[in-house]
Amino acid sequence: MQRINITERANWRDYAEEVGFDFHTFDGEPYWDETAYYQFSLQQIEEDLEAPTEELHQMVMDMVGDITRSEEMLTQLNIPRDYWSYVWNSWNSGEPHLYGRMDLVYDGTGPAKLLELNYDTPTSLFETGFFQWVWLEDQIRNGVLPGRADQFNSLQDKIEQAFIQLELPTPFYFTSVRDNAEDRGTVNYLMDIAAQAGKNVRYIALEDIGVIGDAKDGSQQFVDMDGEPIRGLFKLYPWEFMVQEEFARAVTDGNTQMVEPAWKMLLSNKGILPLLWARYPDHPNLLPAFFETASSEPMAAGWVRKPLFSREGANVDLITTGGEQISAAGPYADGRYIRQALHALPKFRDEYRNADAYTMIGSWVVGDSAAGICIREDATLITKDSSRFLPHIILD
Amino acid sequence: MKRSKKAALVLTVPVATLLIAGCEKEVQGMVYSNPDECSAGGWNSTEQCEADFAAAKALHPQVAPKYVNKQECEADFGEGKCETAPQQTASGGSFFMPMMMGYLAGQMMNRGGANTQQPGGANMQQPTAAGAGSSVPTQPLYKSRDDRNTFRTATNRPVAKGVGPVSFKPSQVQPQAGRLVRRGGFGQQAATRSSFGS
């Protein structure tokens, strides 16, 4: 695993905007960054990333049924009691899921370690499945990279296959928060792939979803702007928010098939990390993790504290083995926490900026197969929404 | 090869709402903002215009969509375009509904019908004398905030871009008891948390 400098494609920003990637730069700071790429060997990809991703995924899926039946674990994960049976039903009726991403720390040697699961609302999908793929094609065509260079990235193929196989209500709706370009970009990409898979797709802004019917007799139903029922809905909006909001009851009343399904609530939650560690202690791809309680000692060096529900590194605190404390601010300080042993992100040298870069790998799962990776870099040990996205190649 | 065979985009634009297609025969009606406009149009008698308007007005509180607060209603129909509905909530509170912006006269007078130009001539059904052959109740029409030119039924079916004769499938304009639609029940946390994807 190496970090290699490369010249940016001349007109990539224009091209990005043409294909709807209008969040390539955030507040003047690059988000998409092609001043360098990461290079892996095929063995690193297959043995250290692909196989562990599928194994971790299987371990997690094996636990879901048990969690849905355990009052203790549901409580530990902060799943509201009113939704326990809904979550149980969604798992037991086999409600299908589409995709997820696990974040790994890996430096090219030794087993990758699982940092967290993003199995409900993962983004960076378009950047991974489309934009970095096109980058590789372009750079091969430009003669900058050799023709045998490959990429661990079957994301679009696998999502298209998943949409072909999934039995979804027609039309099938996609929703995201109205004023979020990144979420909208992700949803547009998924809609595009679904359309290519032959699905009849519609978009509705989250705020525009309507409800008809009566909460008292459980007859509520989601409707679109024309008052037509929404029977199938992909939502890029976290379950833990939805269940706290005004229309939460309509989800359980109605017959809308949700993607991701409700059981994904259990897997977008840092509480899965201590549960995994308890079941698979000393697994090479896991880090020790525990729920923080009122009687927990102050956090020691070499540990990380994460809220159960937090996104993009928000409200994460860590103390390095050297005793240095690093914290990320955020809006998630209102819930419970877990602690996870620190396995620091590897440090690479960013020549272009003459700075250090800490690197995290996101590993995608579509259905139940590993489907590619994406790489994020930050100037600190905590990867955030402002962290840069870099492409990668496989070359031996 | 460990990458996708292709990565391609085909749409990236929202799919337009489609009208329900069918092989049902089209019928005709007239759209007016008010009975004066109807009388001036000369298609119907003043009495018929007044009678249709009254019938639509009477149906209006029954079929108009209802909202639990004025704000939600105005979000769909525009500021100042909503009124208090006669119905009350179980706890004695008010419902709100859009104001009637026009009406569809389902019963065509024969003197008007004979001159009416209709798109898709093959499907044309000649309007007959008042009442006969008409399967569409006269009803109120509304205009949404984001599409000020289009007259819509209470169930939000677009009927016409302006006044005058229209043709439509009867099933698209069957009035139903007004449903209470609530919106905006998701996304509250979006105000306090900046990022939703992960």
mmCIF file of all heavy atoms in Angstrom, chain A residues 50 101 121 123 133 137 150 153 156-157 192 196 208 210-211 220 225-227 244-245 331 334, chain B residues 1-6 8 10-11 17 156-157 179 182-183 185-189 193 196 198:
data_model
loop_
_atom_site.group_PDB
_atom_site.id
_atom_site.type_symbol
_atom_site.label_atom_id
_atom_site.label_comp_id
_atom_site.label_asym_id
_atom_site.label_seq_id
_atom_site.Cartn_x
_atom_site.Cartn_y
_atom_site.Cartn_z
ATOM 1 N N GLU A 50 -10.832 -7.611 1.139
ATOM 2 C CA GLU A 50 -12.057 -8.227 0.619
ATOM 3 C C GLU A 50 -12.536 -9.386 1.516
ATOM 4 O O GLU A 50 -13.702 -9.398 1.950
ATOM 5 C CB GLU A 50 -11.818 -8.739 -0.806
ATOM 6 C CG GLU A 50 -13.065 -9.298 -1.471
ATOM 7 C CD GLU A 50 -12.823 -9.686 -2.933
ATOM 8 O OE1 GLU A 50 -11.645 -9.883 -3.321
ATOM 9 O OE2 GLU A 50 -13.812 -9.776 -3.677
ATOM 10 N N ARG A 101 -21.395 0.198 4.423
ATOM 11 C CA ARG A 101 -19.947 0.420 4.341
ATOM 12 C C ARG A 101 -19.352 0.234 5.717
ATOM 13 O O ARG A 101 -19.917 0.723 6.711
ATOM 14 C CB ARG A 101 -19.664 1.832 3.851
ATOM 15 C CG ARG A 101 -18.212 2.059 3.408
ATOM 16 C CD ARG A 101 -17.896 3.538 3.202
ATOM 17 N NE ARG A 101 -17.798 4.198 4.477
ATOM 18 C CZ ARG A 101 -18.463 5.300 4.814
ATOM 19 N NH1 ARG A 101 -19.261 5.895 3.967
ATOM 20 N NH2 ARG A 101 -18.325 5.812 6.013
ATOM 21 N N THR A 121 -27.075 4.676 6.293
ATOM 22 C CA THR A 121 -27.076 5.813 5.357
ATOM 23 C C THR A 121 -25.671 6.133 4.822
ATOM 24 O O THR A 121 -25.253 7.282 4.851
ATOM 25 C CB THR A 121 -27.616 7.081 6.049
ATOM 26 O OG1 THR A 121 -26.782 7.352 7.202
ATOM 27 C CG2 THR A 121 -29.039 6.931 6.479
ATOM 28 N N THR A 123 -22.718 7.324 2.641
ATOM 29 C CA THR A 123 -22.523 8.165 1.456
ATOM 30 C C THR A 123 -21.123 7.878 0.893
ATOM 31 O O THR A 123 -20.549 6.844 1.204
ATOM 32 C CB THR A 123 -22.740 9.649 1.796
ATOM 33 O OG1 THR A 123 -22.011 9.951 2.983
ATOM 34 C CG2 THR A 123 -24.196 9.945 2.054
ATOM 35 N N TRP A 133 -13.851 5.383 -10.571
ATOM 36 C CA TRP A 133 -13.773 4.437 -11.703
ATOM 37 C C TRP A 133 -13.424 5.197 -12.980
ATOM 38 O O TRP A 133 -12.539 4.801 -13.729
ATOM 39 C CB TRP A 133 -15.125 3.730 -11.831
ATOM 40 C CG TRP A 133 -15.195 2.580 -12.784
ATOM 41 C CD1 TRP A 133 -15.060 1.246 -12.478
ATOM 42 C CD2 TRP A 133 -15.461 2.622 -14.195
ATOM 43 N NE1 TRP A 133 -15.215 0.480 -13.602
ATOM 44 C CE2 TRP A 133 -15.459 1.297 -14.673
ATOM 45 C CE3 TRP A 133 -15.694 3.663 -15.100
ATOM 46 C CZ2 TRP A 133 -15.690 0.974 -16.014
ATOM 47 C CZ3 TRP A 133 -15.917 3.340 -16.446
ATOM 48 C CH2 TRP A 133 -15.922 2.015 -16.886
ATOM 49 N N GLU A 137 -10.092 5.050 -15.586
ATOM 50 C CA GLU A 137 -10.226 4.923 -17.047
ATOM 51 C C GLU A 137 -9.512 6.068 -17.750
ATOM 52 O O GLU A 137 -8.766 5.851 -18.711
ATOM 53 C CB GLU A 137 -11.716 4.958 -17.436
ATOM 54 C CG GLU A 137 -12.509 3.757 -16.973
ATOM 55 C CD GLU A 137 -12.355 2.575 -17.913
ATOM 56 O OE1 GLU A 137 -12.623 2.752 -19.112
ATOM 57 O OE2 GLU A 137 -11.951 1.496 -17.430
ATOM 58 N N ASP A 150 -5.867 -1.936 -12.089
ATOM 59 C CA ASP A 150 -7.266 -2.283 -11.801
ATOM 60 C C ASP A 150 -7.687 -1.513 -10.550
ATOM 61 O O ASP A 150 -6.921 -0.708 -9.990
ATOM 62 C CB ASP A 150 -7.373 -3.806 -11.599
ATOM 63 C CG ASP A 150 -8.797 -4.326 -11.730
ATOM 64 O OD1 ASP A 150 -9.710 -3.536 -12.032
ATOM 65 O OD2 ASP A 150 -8.992 -5.540 -11.511
ATOM 66 N N ASN A 153 -13.480 -2.215 -7.057
ATOM 67 C CA ASN A 153 -14.636 -1.328 -7.193
ATOM 68 C C ASN A 153 -15.678 -1.933 -8.132
ATOM 69 O O ASN A 153 -15.774 -1.561 -9.290
ATOM 70 C CB ASN A 153 -14.165 0.030 -7.725
ATOM 71 C CG ASN A 153 -15.304 1.004 -7.869
ATOM 72 O OD1 ASN A 153 -16.400 0.777 -7.359
ATOM 73 N ND2 ASN A 153 -15.051 2.095 -8.563
ATOM 74 N N GLN A 156 -20.932 -0.296 -8.719
ATOM 75 C CA GLN A 156 -22.081 -0.025 -9.583
ATOM 76 C C GLN A 156 -22.663 -1.320 -10.164
ATOM 77 O O GLN A 156 -23.882 -1.495 -10.191
ATOM 78 C CB GLN A 156 -21.720 0.953 -10.716
ATOM 79 C CG GLN A 156 -22.952 1.228 -11.574
ATOM 80 C CD GLN A 156 -22.904 2.493 -12.403
ATOM 81 O OE1 GLN A 156 -22.098 3.399 -12.166
ATOM 82 N NE2 GLN A 156 -23.778 2.570 -13.383
ATOM 83 N N ASP A 157 -21.793 -2.235 -10.602
ATOM 84 C CA ASP A 157 -22.298 -3.516 -11.115
ATOM 85 C C ASP A 157 -23.133 -4.233 -10.071
ATOM 86 O O ASP A 157 -24.207 -4.772 -10.360
ATOM 87 C CB ASP A 157 -21.125 -4.441 -11.487
ATOM 88 C CG ASP A 157 -20.574 -4.143 -12.877
ATOM 89 O OD1 ASP A 157 -21.137 -3.277 -13.567
ATOM 90 O OD2 ASP A 157 -19.569 -4.782 -13.257
ATOM 91 N N ASP A 192 -30.314 6.518 -10.427
ATOM 92 C CA ASP A 192 -29.832 6.301 -11.786
ATOM 93 C C ASP A 192 -29.568 4.813 -12.022
ATOM 94 O O ASP A 192 -29.972 4.240 -13.041
ATOM 95 C CB ASP A 192 -28.560 7.133 -11.985
ATOM 96 C CG ASP A 192 -28.235 7.338 -13.450
ATOM 97 O OD1 ASP A 192 -28.116 6.336 -14.173
ATOM 98 O OD2 ASP A 192 -28.095 8.493 -13.871
ATOM 99 N N GLN A 196 -31.451 2.157 -14.488
ATOM 100 C CA GLN A 196 -30.749 1.280 -15.435
ATOM 101 C C GLN A 196 -31.117 -0.183 -15.224
ATOM 102 O O GLN A 196 -31.045 -0.991 -16.144
ATOM 103 C CB GLN A 196 -29.228 1.462 -15.309
ATOM 104 C CG GLN A 196 -28.762 2.841 -15.729
ATOM 105 C CD GLN A 196 -27.249 2.991 -15.704
ATOM 106 O OE1 GLN A 196 -26.531 2.188 -16.281
ATOM 107 N NE2 GLN A 196 -26.770 4.017 -15.027
ATOM 108 N N ASP A 208 -41.188 16.740 2.050
ATOM 109 C CA ASP A 208 -42.439 16.738 1.288
ATOM 110 C C ASP A 208 -43.250 15.465 1.466
ATOM 111 O O ASP A 208 -44.375 15.373 0.971
ATOM 112 C CB ASP A 208 -42.148 16.911 -0.209
ATOM 113 C CG ASP A 208 -41.792 18.344 -0.560
ATOM 114 O OD1 ASP A 208 -42.140 19.249 0.241
ATOM 115 O OD2 ASP A 208 -41.178 18.563 -1.607
ATOM 116 N N GLY A 210 -45.819 13.093 2.639
ATOM 117 C CA GLY A 210 -47.081 13.352 3.317
ATOM 118 C C GLY A 210 -47.605 12.099 3.992
ATOM 119 O O GLY A 210 -47.183 10.982 3.690
ATOM 120 N N VAL A 211 -48.506 12.319 4.928
ATOM 121 C CA VAL A 211 -49.164 11.202 5.602
ATOM 122 C C VAL A 211 -50.660 11.439 5.549
ATOM 123 O O VAL A 211 -51.132 12.552 5.797
ATOM 124 C CB VAL A 211 -48.676 11.079 7.068
ATOM 125 C CG1 VAL A 211 -49.637 10.230 7.883
ATOM 126 C CG2 VAL A 211 -47.277 10.480 7.118
ATOM 127 N N GLN A 220 -52.424 5.051 9.017
ATOM 128 C CA GLN A 220 -51.603 6.053 8.342
ATOM 129 C C GLN A 220 -50.829 5.453 7.172
ATOM 130 O O GLN A 220 -50.420 4.302 7.209
ATOM 131 C CB GLN A 220 -50.620 6.680 9.330
ATOM 132 C CG GLN A 220 -51.314 7.455 10.435
ATOM 133 C CD GLN A 220 -50.311 8.140 11.323
ATOM 134 O OE1 GLN A 220 -50.060 9.321 11.205
ATOM 135 N NE2 GLN A 220 -49.719 7.380 12.232
ATOM 136 N N MET A 225 -46.474 13.936 -3.462
ATOM 137 C CA MET A 225 -47.047 15.269 -3.631
ATOM 138 C C MET A 225 -48.386 15.233 -4.363
ATOM 139 O O MET A 225 -49.152 16.177 -4.303
ATOM 140 C CB MET A 225 -46.062 16.163 -4.411
ATOM 141 C CG MET A 225 -44.818 16.513 -3.618
ATOM 142 S SD MET A 225 -45.190 17.409 -2.087
ATOM 143 C CE MET A 225 -45.353 19.077 -2.728
ATOM 144 N N ASP A 226 -48.655 14.135 -5.077
ATOM 145 C CA ASP A 226 -49.942 13.994 -5.750
ATOM 146 C C ASP A 226 -50.946 13.234 -4.896
ATOM 147 O O ASP A 226 -52.034 12.896 -5.369
ATOM 148 C CB ASP A 226 -49.772 13.245 -7.084
ATOM 149 C CG ASP A 226 -48.993 14.080 -8.089
ATOM 150 O OD1 ASP A 226 -49.066 15.312 -7.996
ATOM 151 O OD2 ASP A 226 -48.325 13.500 -8.951
ATOM 152 N N GLY A 227 -50.550 12.926 -3.667
ATOM 153 C CA GLY A 227 -51.443 12.159 -2.812
ATOM 154 C C GLY A 227 -51.453 10.674 -3.128
ATOM 155 O O GLY A 227 -52.266 9.921 -2.598
ATOM 156 N N GLN A 244 -37.685 9.225 16.012
ATOM 157 C CA GLN A 244 -37.968 10.264 17.005
ATOM 158 C C GLN A 244 -38.865 11.359 16.462
ATOM 159 O O GLN A 244 -39.196 12.287 17.170
ATOM 160 C CB GLN A 244 -36.657 10.930 17.438
ATOM 161 C CG GLN A 244 -35.752 10.030 18.236
ATOM 162 C CD GLN A 244 -34.452 10.746 18.556
ATOM 163 O OE1 GLN A 244 -34.445 11.929 18.873
ATOM 164 N NE2 GLN A 244 -33.357 10.034 18.473
ATOM 165 N N GLU A 245 -39.208 11.305 15.170
ATOM 166 C CA GLU A 245 -39.896 12.433 14.563
ATOM 167 C C GLU A 245 -41.401 12.190 14.454
ATOM 168 O O GLU A 245 -41.905 11.101 14.696
ATOM 169 C CB GLU A 245 -39.245 12.749 13.210
ATOM 170 C CG GLU A 245 -37.785 13.153 13.426
ATOM 171 C CD GLU A 245 -37.119 13.750 12.208
ATOM 172 O OE1 GLU A 245 -37.588 13.546 11.095
ATOM 173 O OE2 GLU A 245 -36.100 14.441 12.404
ATOM 174 N N PRO A 331 -22.710 17.655 16.990
ATOM 175 C CA PRO A 331 -24.039 17.801 17.582
ATOM 176 C C PRO A 331 -24.581 16.519 18.211
ATOM 177 O O PRO A 331 -25.784 16.388 18.399
ATOM 178 C CB PRO A 331 -24.884 18.205 16.371
ATOM 179 C CG PRO A 331 -24.230 17.476 15.233
ATOM 180 C CD PRO A 331 -22.781 17.326 15.570
ATOM 181 N N ASP A 334 -25.517 14.213 22.990
ATOM 182 C CA ASP A 334 -26.681 14.015 23.849
ATOM 183 C C ASP A 334 -27.003 12.546 24.097
ATOM 184 O O ASP A 334 -28.042 12.229 24.668
ATOM 185 C CB ASP A 334 -27.899 14.719 23.229
ATOM 186 C CG ASP A 334 -28.105 14.332 21.765
ATOM 187 O OD1 ASP A 334 -27.227 13.633 21.207
ATOM 188 O OD2 ASP A 334 -29.135 14.714 21.200
ATOM 189 N N MET B 1 -10.814 -9.075 -13.212
ATOM 190 C CA MET B 1 -10.936 -7.630 -12.980
ATOM 191 C C MET B 1 -11.804 -7.374 -11.762
ATOM 192 O O MET B 1 -12.855 -7.983 -11.610
ATOM 193 C CB MET B 1 -11.539 -6.958 -14.220
ATOM 194 C CG MET B 1 -11.313 -5.471 -14.222
ATOM 195 S SD MET B 1 -11.570 -4.737 -15.846
ATOM 196 C CE MET B 1 -13.344 -4.718 -15.966
ATOM 197 N N LYS B 2 -11.325 -6.482 -10.907
ATOM 198 C CA LYS B 2 -12.054 -6.269 -9.648
ATOM 199 C C LYS B 2 -12.921 -5.029 -9.694
ATOM 200 O O LYS B 2 -13.476 -4.609 -8.706
ATOM 201 C CB LYS B 2 -11.071 -6.193 -8.476
ATOM 202 C CG LYS B 2 -10.245 -7.450 -8.347
ATOM 203 C CD LYS B 2 -9.793 -7.758 -6.948
ATOM 204 C CE LYS B 2 -10.852 -8.242 -6.017
ATOM 205 N NZ LYS B 2 -11.213 -9.657 -6.169
ATOM 206 N N ARG B 3 -13.008 -4.433 -10.861
ATOM 207 C CA ARG B 3 -13.875 -3.254 -10.927
ATOM 208 C C ARG B 3 -15.094 -3.534 -11.806
ATOM 209 O O ARG B 3 -15.122 -4.506 -12.557
ATOM 210 C CB ARG B 3 -13.095 -2.049 -11.434
ATOM 211 C CG ARG B 3 -12.623 -2.152 -12.858
ATOM 212 C CD ARG B 3 -11.691 -0.978 -13.163
ATOM 213 N NE ARG B 3 -10.598 -1.404 -13.974
ATOM 214 C CZ ARG B 3 -10.349 -0.903 -15.192
ATOM 215 N NH1 ARG B 3 -11.108 0.033 -15.697
ATOM 216 N NH2 ARG B 3 -9.327 -1.328 -15.883
ATOM 217 N N SER B 4 -16.060 -2.629 -11.712
ATOM 218 C CA SER B 4 -17.284 -2.761 -12.493
ATOM 219 C C SER B 4 -16.954 -2.808 -13.977
ATOM 220 O O SER B 4 -16.014 -2.162 -14.429
ATOM 221 C CB SER B 4 -18.214 -1.579 -12.226
ATOM 222 O OG SER B 4 -18.660 -1.594 -10.897
ATOM 223 N N LYS B 5 -17.757 -3.572 -14.719
ATOM 224 C CA LYS B 5 -17.552 -3.625 -16.170
ATOM 225 C C LYS B 5 -17.879 -2.281 -16.794
ATOM 226 O O LYS B 5 -17.316 -1.856 -17.771
ATOM 227 C CB LYS B 5 -18.441 -4.708 -16.775
ATOM 228 C CG LYS B 5 -17.908 -6.103 -16.487
ATOM 229 C CD LYS B 5 -18.776 -7.159 -17.150
ATOM 230 C CE LYS B 5 -18.552 -8.505 -16.515
ATOM 231 N NZ LYS B 5 -19.035 -8.553 -15.108
ATOM 232 N N LYS B 6 -18.861 -1.623 -16.193
ATOM 233 C CA LYS B 6 -19.175 -0.280 -16.673
ATOM 234 C C LYS B 6 -19.584 0.557 -15.467
ATOM 235 O O LYS B 6 -20.035 0.036 -14.454
ATOM 236 C CB LYS B 6 -20.310 -0.313 -17.695
ATOM 237 C CG LYS B 6 -21.607 -0.853 -17.101
ATOM 238 C CD LYS B 6 -22.854 -0.287 -17.747
ATOM 239 C CE LYS B 6 -24.039 -0.618 -16.851
ATOM 240 N NZ LYS B 6 -25.329 -0.252 -17.231
ATOM 241 N N ALA B 8 -21.834 3.994 -15.478
ATOM 242 C CA ALA B 8 -22.489 4.932 -16.394
ATOM 243 C C ALA B 8 -23.676 5.576 -15.723
ATOM 244 O O ALA B 8 -24.267 5.007 -14.813
ATOM 245 C CB ALA B 8 -22.939 4.192 -17.643
ATOM 246 N N VAL B 10 -27.394 7.506 -16.571
ATOM 247 C CA VAL B 10 -28.360 7.719 -17.650
ATOM 248 C C VAL B 10 -29.342 8.846 -17.397
ATOM 249 O O VAL B 10 -29.831 9.456 -18.323
ATOM 250 C CB VAL B 10 -29.159 6.449 -17.998
ATOM 251 C CG1 VAL B 10 -28.240 5.389 -18.573
ATOM 252 C CG2 VAL B 10 -29.911 5.927 -16.807
ATOM 253 N N LEU B 11 -29.627 9.139 -16.154
ATOM 254 C CA LEU B 11 -30.613 10.214 -15.982
ATOM 255 C C LEU B 11 -30.133 11.371 -15.140
ATOM 256 O O LEU B 11 -29.939 12.452 -15.646
ATOM 257 C CB LEU B 11 -31.953 9.678 -15.484
ATOM 258 C CG LEU B 11 -32.076 8.544 -14.517
ATOM 259 C CD1 LEU B 11 -32.550 9.048 -13.167
ATOM 260 C CD2 LEU B 11 -33.115 7.590 -15.062
ATOM 261 N N THR B 17 -43.631 13.420 -12.959
ATOM 262 C CA THR B 17 -44.836 12.705 -12.566
ATOM 263 C C THR B 17 -45.639 12.349 -13.817
ATOM 264 O O THR B 17 -45.853 13.172 -14.677
ATOM 265 C CB THR B 17 -45.691 13.609 -11.671
ATOM 266 O OG1 THR B 17 -44.852 14.047 -10.619
ATOM 267 C CG2 THR B 17 -46.871 12.866 -11.110
ATOM 268 N N ASN B 156 -55.795 16.506 -6.504
ATOM 269 C CA ASN B 156 -54.531 16.978 -7.076
ATOM 270 C C ASN B 156 -54.267 16.497 -8.498
ATOM 271 O O ASN B 156 -53.131 16.423 -8.929
ATOM 272 C CB ASN B 156 -53.364 16.591 -6.146
ATOM 273 C CG ASN B 156 -52.159 17.497 -6.349
ATOM 274 O OD1 ASN B 156 -52.287 18.583 -6.898
ATOM 275 N ND2 ASN B 156 -50.998 17.049 -5.910
ATOM 276 N N ARG B 157 -55.322 16.163 -9.220
ATOM 277 C CA ARG B 157 -55.152 15.831 -10.642
ATOM 278 C C ARG B 157 -55.168 17.118 -11.449
ATOM 279 O O ARG B 157 -56.136 17.886 -11.364
ATOM 280 C CB ARG B 157 -56.302 14.960 -11.135
ATOM 281 C CG ARG B 157 -56.295 13.591 -10.586
ATOM 282 C CD ARG B 157 -55.510 12.651 -11.489
ATOM 283 N NE ARG B 157 -55.479 11.339 -10.878
ATOM 284 C CZ ARG B 157 -54.388 10.592 -10.794
ATOM 285 N NH1 ARG B 157 -53.251 11.029 -11.280
ATOM 286 N NH2 ARG B 157 -54.433 9.409 -10.242
ATOM 287 N N ARG B 179 -59.173 14.238 2.013
ATOM 288 C CA ARG B 179 -58.289 13.542 2.942
ATOM 289 C C ARG B 179 -57.435 14.558 3.681
ATOM 290 O O ARG B 179 -57.067 15.585 3.131
ATOM 291 C CB ARG B 179 -57.393 12.577 2.177
ATOM 292 C CG ARG B 179 -58.167 11.484 1.501
ATOM 293 C CD ARG B 179 -57.241 10.492 0.869
ATOM 294 N NE ARG B 179 -56.403 11.101 -0.156
ATOM 295 C CZ ARG B 179 -55.626 10.387 -0.957
ATOM 296 N NH1 ARG B 179 -55.558 9.094 -0.833
ATOM 297 N NH2 ARG B 179 -54.885 10.973 -1.866
ATOM 298 N N ARG B 182 -50.926 15.471 5.901
ATOM 299 C CA ARG B 182 -49.961 16.212 6.715
ATOM 300 C C ARG B 182 -48.598 16.029 6.075
ATOM 301 O O ARG B 182 -48.281 14.960 5.587
ATOM 302 C CB ARG B 182 -49.952 15.663 8.145
ATOM 303 C CG ARG B 182 -51.253 15.948 8.896
ATOM 304 C CD ARG B 182 -51.331 15.151 10.176
ATOM 305 N NE ARG B 182 -51.559 13.760 9.903
ATOM 306 C CZ ARG B 182 -51.010 12.759 10.588
ATOM 307 N NH1 ARG B 182 -50.179 13.002 11.576
ATOM 308 N NH2 ARG B 182 -51.271 11.499 10.283
ATOM 309 N N ARG B 183 -47.800 17.087 6.082
ATOM 310 C CA ARG B 183 -46.437 16.981 5.552
ATOM 311 C C ARG B 183 -45.462 17.595 6.544
ATOM 312 O O ARG B 183 -45.861 18.279 7.477
ATOM 313 C CB ARG B 183 -46.312 17.707 4.200
ATOM 314 C CG ARG B 183 -47.173 17.108 3.120
ATOM 315 C CD ARG B 183 -46.819 17.617 1.730
ATOM 316 N NE ARG B 183 -47.911 17.296 0.816
ATOM 317 C CZ ARG B 183 -48.047 16.124 0.195
ATOM 318 N NH1 ARG B 183 -47.149 15.173 0.363
ATOM 319 N NH2 ARG B 183 -49.076 15.893 -0.593
ATOM 320 N N GLY B 185 -43.407 15.992 8.526
ATOM 321 C CA GLY B 185 -43.210 15.235 9.767
ATOM 322 C C GLY B 185 -41.871 14.532 9.844
ATOM 323 O O GLY B 185 -41.571 13.884 10.838
ATOM 324 N N PHE B 186 -41.078 14.666 8.795
ATOM 325 C CA PHE B 186 -39.713 14.153 8.842
ATOM 326 C C PHE B 186 -38.758 15.295 8.563
ATOM 327 O O PHE B 186 -39.071 16.203 7.803
ATOM 328 C CB PHE B 186 -39.480 13.065 7.795
ATOM 329 C CG PHE B 186 -39.999 11.719 8.179
ATOM 330 C CD1 PHE B 186 -40.736 10.979 7.282
ATOM 331 C CD2 PHE B 186 -39.736 11.182 9.428
ATOM 332 C CE1 PHE B 186 -41.210 9.725 7.609
ATOM 333 C CE2 PHE B 186 -40.210 9.925 9.779
ATOM 334 C CZ PHE B 186 -40.951 9.194 8.874
ATOM 335 N N GLY B 187 -37.596 15.206 9.147
ATOM 336 C CA GLY B 187 -36.558 16.172 8.839
ATOM 337 C C GLY B 187 -36.297 17.175 9.947
ATOM 338 O O GLY B 187 -35.447 18.038 9.801
ATOM 339 N N GLN B 188 -37.040 17.035 11.071
ATOM 340 C CA GLN B 188 -36.824 17.999 12.154
ATOM 341 C C GLN B 188 -35.388 17.967 12.664
ATOM 342 O O GLN B 188 -34.816 18.993 12.997
ATOM 343 C CB GLN B 188 -37.762 17.739 13.351
ATOM 344 C CG GLN B 188 -39.217 18.020 13.056
ATOM 345 C CD GLN B 188 -39.965 16.735 12.719
ATOM 346 O OE1 GLN B 188 -39.433 15.849 12.055
ATOM 347 N NE2 GLN B 188 -41.190 16.624 13.175
ATOM 348 N N GLN B 189 -34.803 16.745 12.726
ATOM 349 C CA GLN B 189 -33.446 16.640 13.258
ATOM 350 C C GLN B 189 -32.435 17.243 12.287
ATOM 351 O O GLN B 189 -31.319 17.542 12.659
ATOM 352 C CB GLN B 189 -33.098 15.181 13.517
ATOM 353 C CG GLN B 189 -34.104 14.514 14.409
ATOM 354 C CD GLN B 189 -33.503 14.040 15.713
ATOM 355 O OE1 GLN B 189 -32.306 14.137 15.956
ATOM 356 N NE2 GLN B 189 -34.344 13.523 16.572
ATOM 357 N N ARG B 193 -28.794 18.783 13.256
ATOM 358 C CA ARG B 193 -27.616 17.983 12.921
ATOM 359 C C ARG B 193 -27.258 18.307 11.483
ATOM 360 O O ARG B 193 -28.115 18.271 10.607
ATOM 361 C CB ARG B 193 -27.923 16.495 13.032
ATOM 362 C CG ARG B 193 -28.877 16.155 14.147
ATOM 363 C CD ARG B 193 -28.176 15.516 15.298
ATOM 364 N NE ARG B 193 -29.151 15.028 16.269
ATOM 365 C CZ ARG B 193 -28.805 14.550 17.456
ATOM 366 N NH1 ARG B 193 -27.546 14.493 17.821
ATOM 367 N NH2 ARG B 193 -29.724 14.124 18.287
ATOM 368 N N PHE B 196 -26.199 13.918 7.461
ATOM 369 C CA PHE B 196 -27.099 12.770 7.635
ATOM 370 C C PHE B 196 -26.542 11.506 7.051
ATOM 371 O O PHE B 196 -26.794 10.428 7.519
ATOM 372 C CB PHE B 196 -28.460 13.088 7.023
ATOM 373 C CG PHE B 196 -28.789 14.522 7.257
ATOM 374 C CD1 PHE B 196 -28.720 15.420 6.231
ATOM 375 C CD2 PHE B 196 -29.020 14.963 8.542
ATOM 376 C CE1 PHE B 196 -28.924 16.762 6.472
ATOM 377 C CE2 PHE B 196 -29.224 16.298 8.774
ATOM 378 C CZ PHE B 196 -29.175 17.199 7.749
ATOM 379 N N SER B 198 -23.271 9.085 6.102
ATOM 380 C CA SER B 198 -22.132 8.749 6.947
ATOM 381 C C SER B 198 -21.063 8.055 6.120
ATOM 382 O O SER B 198 -21.300 7.643 5.033
ATOM 383 C CB SER B 198 -22.550 7.865 8.096
ATOM 384 O OG SER B 198 -23.311 6.776 7.626
#
